[in-house]
Each structure stands twice: as C-alpha cells, then as structure tokens.
Amino acid sequence: MCGIVGAVAKNNVVPVLLEGLLRLEYRGYDSAGLVVANDGLHRLRTTGRVAELGKLANEQETLGETGIAHTRWATHGVPSERNAHPHYSGRISKIAVVHNGIIENYEIMREQLQAEGFEFVSDTDTEVIAHLIAFNLQQIPDLLEAVCASISKLQGAYAIAVMEEARPGRIIAARNGAPLLLGLGDTGNYAASDASALLQVTKNMIYLEEGDVAELTSDGYRIVSCLNGKIDKEITRAVHKSNLTSEAINLGPYAHFMQKEIFEQPGAVANTLEMVFNAQSISPRLFGNDAEKILSQIDSILILACGTSYHAGLVASYWLETVAGLPCNVEIASEYRYRDPIAGPNTLVVGISQSGETADTLAALNYAQSLGHQHSLSICNVAESALIRQTNLRFLTRAGPEIGVASTKAFTTQLASLLLLTVTLAKMRNKLSGERENEMIAALRHLPAALQLALQVEPQVKAWAEKFAEKNHALFLGRGLHYPIAMEGALKLKEISYIHAEAYAAGELKHGPLALVDKDMPVVAIAPNDVLLSKLKSNLQEVHARGGELYVFADADSHIQQSEGVHIIRLAEHAGLLSPILHTIPLQMLAYHVALQKGTDVDKPRNLAKSVTVE
Ligand code: G6P
C-alpha cells in the first residue's frame, strides 16, 4: 500500500508531486509528505490528506526541481507526522527516502544501525532503509551504488525512491515486490506506484521489473540490476504508451469514485466481454495461447483470492461445479499460504485480484506453485501487475481503473470473466450443447443492458438507506449462488458505513444468528426466483415471526409480498446464472447510500486501503 511519486525536471515539480499523490491516495491516506531539493532538502509532512499537504506547500511556497513524495497506509508505527515519509538520514550527505512495502528484517537492521550510531526518530521500518543507505554512502560515495549495496541487505517487498541533498537533480528508484514504474516526459523524468499518477506529465511509461534499480535525471534515465550489493549490468526495458485516459481517472459528474464505478458497470462488463460479443462461439484462446492445451488437462480448480475477489471466487465455484462439472475449492489466500494442502497435478490454480498486487494472493499462488501445481490462471484488472506475470494463463478484466477503496466494478467484471471461464470449460468437457452455448453467449451479450436496468432501482434503495443509517448491525442472507453475494453486500456495508454487518447462508440462521434478530436488526435477503426460493422464504418467515425487519431483493417473478415489516425491491425477471451479478448492484448502492447518510468518507474508508501489498 502507500503511494510513491518521484520527479526530476527542468521546472518546479511540486505540483506534479501533489497531483501524483492525489491519484495514489487510494493506496493509503494515513499521512502524506514530500521533500524537494532547493538549496538543501525541504520536507513537508502531515497526518492530513494530500490536500492538506498541498496547503502546506502553498503556505510555505515550497519549490524544487527534484522531489519525492508519499501517501501512507500505516504498517509499522501509528499514523503521525513523525512516522510520515519521507524519512531522512545522513552524516556526510543528507538523504531522503520514500517506501512502499514492508522490510521484514527491520528489527535486526535497526539494532545493527543503532550500534553504528544511527539515531532512529520514527517507529517505521522505512527509516532502516534511510540509515542503511546513509551508512553505505560513507564508504560508497555514489547514491546509485549505495542503494545497490543497501538493498542487498533488505528482506521483504518494497518499492523505494531516494534523493540526496549533496547531489540534487537525481532520484534513485528501486523495485522488489511492490509496483513501480518510470514516466519519461519532455521536461523531466518521473517514478510512481502506478500510471495514473504520471498521466498528468506523460504517457510514456516503463514498468520496472523485480530487482530493477533506476537512476533518473531531468535529461534521462538508466536501469541497472544489482548482484551481491554491486551494480551488475545495464538493463533495457520497453517503453509503453499508456492507454489510460484522464476521463478514466477523473470523477467527472459524480460525487464519489464509488458512485462513478457503480454506474460504470454496464460499460466495464461490456469491455470485459467484448471478444465474446463479436464471436460465434467461445474459444479457450481467450485465456491465453496455451489455454486449449492446459485447460483440456485439468480435472479440478483451486481459487485463491482476498476480500471482494474471494467472494467472486465463491460464486464461481457454484458455476464451475454445476455447469462445467469440475470440483472447485476456493481459499482465502492468507489462510492457504500457511496450510499443508495437497497439490493435484491437474488442478488449475486461479488467482483473482483487481490490483494484481495483493501480497497474500501473490504469496498463496507462489506457494501453490511450489507445491507442484503447474497450471495457473490469473483474472486481474491490471495488465502489468505481478499476478499477471506469475501465471501461465491470464484473463484481463477490463473494468478500467478502480479508485474507490470498496471494490464494485472489479467484482462484476471478475464474475463475468469467471462465467466465461465456466462456459469455456463446460464446452471443452462436453457439458454444454451447442444450443446451451448459444443461450449462454446471448445471456452474456445481454448482461450490460441487464446491469443498466438493475441500476434503475437506485431511488428505492436510497429510501431504504435512510432506515439503515440509524442501525448498528445488519444481517445479510442468501442461499446457493447468492450466499457469496450476501457476503459481498455485508462487506460493502461494513467497509464504507462502519455498520457491523454479517452474512449467513439463510439455512444457518436457525443455528445461531436468529438469536440476534429483533426490531433493531435489519435483515437483508437476496431472494431471486431460483430453486432455493421456497426454502429461503421459510427462513424469512423465521425472521418475520421474531419481529425482524426484512429488506428483500427479489426478482419481478419471485412471488414475495410486501407487508408490515417486509420491504421488497424487485429486479427484473430471474436472470438464471447471471443473477448473482445483477443482485450485486443494489447491494453496492445500499452501502453507498447508507455511507452518504452517515457522512463517512465513501472512497477512503477509515483504516483501509485499496491495494494491500503487505501480509
Ligand atoms: C483490499 C480492498 C478490497 C479488495 C481486496 C483484495 O482489501 O480494499 O476491496 O477486495 O483488497 O484486492 P485485490 O486487488 O486482490 O482484488
């Protein structure tokens, strides 16, 4: 988590650093800071947001042609000015460091550096990097070489940017396990955690690879690899033209990114399924050149993911078992990586992640591969991410940048992709007749329009939200395919409105949670007109009989009647296998409107970050 920006140019870079940080705030927003070189290093730090940092820069008329900046999601040390980046060190020459990631051996390094006389003024692991580089600079007077020497001693995942007071006009950036890219502009060169931060100055980007160390000046750049603490060789990396548009990363007419992203879902799903819209039939090649060979060998699926992406995996497990007849396990990545699971030689391991940089998901996939799993597929929204590079097969969700911390369009595009995977596998395994395949393709083609329709229930959801805003707890119920959707609805509500929300498979209600039901506990039920509807209705009766207030999302043909204590919002007619995707929409809207009622920070909920690059 945390966002990094670095800039070295022939003009003042403070506006570039601030704008870049604003774009990266989704990565963390506990504190913000920057340092620029202008007759010495000038550092500004605040426990406020980037806007606050901007005010400080304005008041203090901070200017400089070289600078690094950071927006933090605290891991080591509370959010405070003292712990905010950039961190300083230096005896011979003062240096400043910004860092994203975690240094796992920081305690030992800290002791060693303290023994060398370095004084620590923060509780962060980052300060170790600053002192270590300063220590090495005493023997190796070149910053690039000193960074090479230093990173050989660091364990963990990181991206860093470093600058030096004595030789301004130069930034050193290094990547190992956390994202970092370079931007090549007309008047300067830049580094950042993602492309959106640099779109303001350039579209020409270089995605650094693990182990790359880059040196940036206003006139040029070079990339090297390091071996045993020394520069090993010069590296050439391709320059990519980013196809990100400023429209994709700006709010436009919306009040929040989450709102924008909810409403972008029809388009995001249409983009993700574009190849299907033009095809007569579904081909395994959608998942990569080797997909036909690999997918024809598999006999089971293992899905690894976290958070919302994990919920997408849970829905997919129903589809894969029912439609493709494949056994499917879905595991929370942070749990899987510490178990002793049995690897099947013909299991396809599927990593699902919006960002492609979630540390637990990457580590779990790595672990699965180390156990002998040979076949892997990533479903991911970021083309240049670590996850995409870690698997044999890949499918890109084309949701566009998702900036709101609570995931919305990434989830529905993941579901659309997973349904496509299901249909592909079902077809390859002769579980799908030509007629059924055509029906499925037609349903997928219709999905964007169906999502558009689902968005129309917003006024009704908004009215419900007023009632939820006064509550402290909520239960979400679903069955079968819609149980994970209930989980996702509960997660959305707790993430952004801070209302405690739990999801239960509706049949489990009587085994415990029913004890919680009273007039103060709203119960949200996802009640599409599927084979489990009559069972679900009995569960709802159990709630009603105990004075619980029911908020039911039903299909137009669900035959559930509104009555005292039973509120109903109807979507369109039952959408079959696509129903979980459509039923997600009103749940996202419910969370959004409850958060608005409560006045919480919708896009940047407390304590969270969008991209969790630490364990
Ligand atoms: C964080 C985000 C969630 C997201 C989860 C997994 O917790 O706040 O919205 O679902 O990470 O992220 P990923 O990028 O792997 O899908």
Side-chain angles (χ1 to χ4, degrees), residues 1 26 305-310 352-359 361 379-380 382 387 402 404-408 410 414 488 491-492 495 605 608-612:
M1 357 253 268
Y26 73 88
C306 303
T308 289
S309 298
Y310 168 69
I352 309 175
S353 172
Q354 186 283 129
S355 61
E357 59 170 294
T358 302
T361 305
I379 294 191
C380 184
V382 180
L387 182 69
E402 192 182 63
V405 164
S407 185
T408 52
Q414 284 166 352
E488 177 59 10
L491 177 65
K492 286 290 87 89
E495 274 179 311
L608 301 180
K610 180 132 198 85
S611 171
V612 186

Side-chain angles (χ1 to χ4, degrees), residues 499-518:
I499 291 177
H500 170 229
E502 294 299 333
Y504 284 91
E508 273 294 288
L509 197 62
K510 54 189 176 290
H511 298 298
L514 199 54
L516 297 171
V517 169
D518 64 12

Side-chain angles (χ1 to χ4, degrees), residues 13-14 17 34-38 40-43 62-64 66-67 163:
V13 295
V14 172
L17 295 176
L34 63 79
V35 64
V36 285
N38 187 353
L41 294 186
H42 299 275
R43 178 171 69 174
T62 309
L63 299 173
T66 309
M163 59 186 279

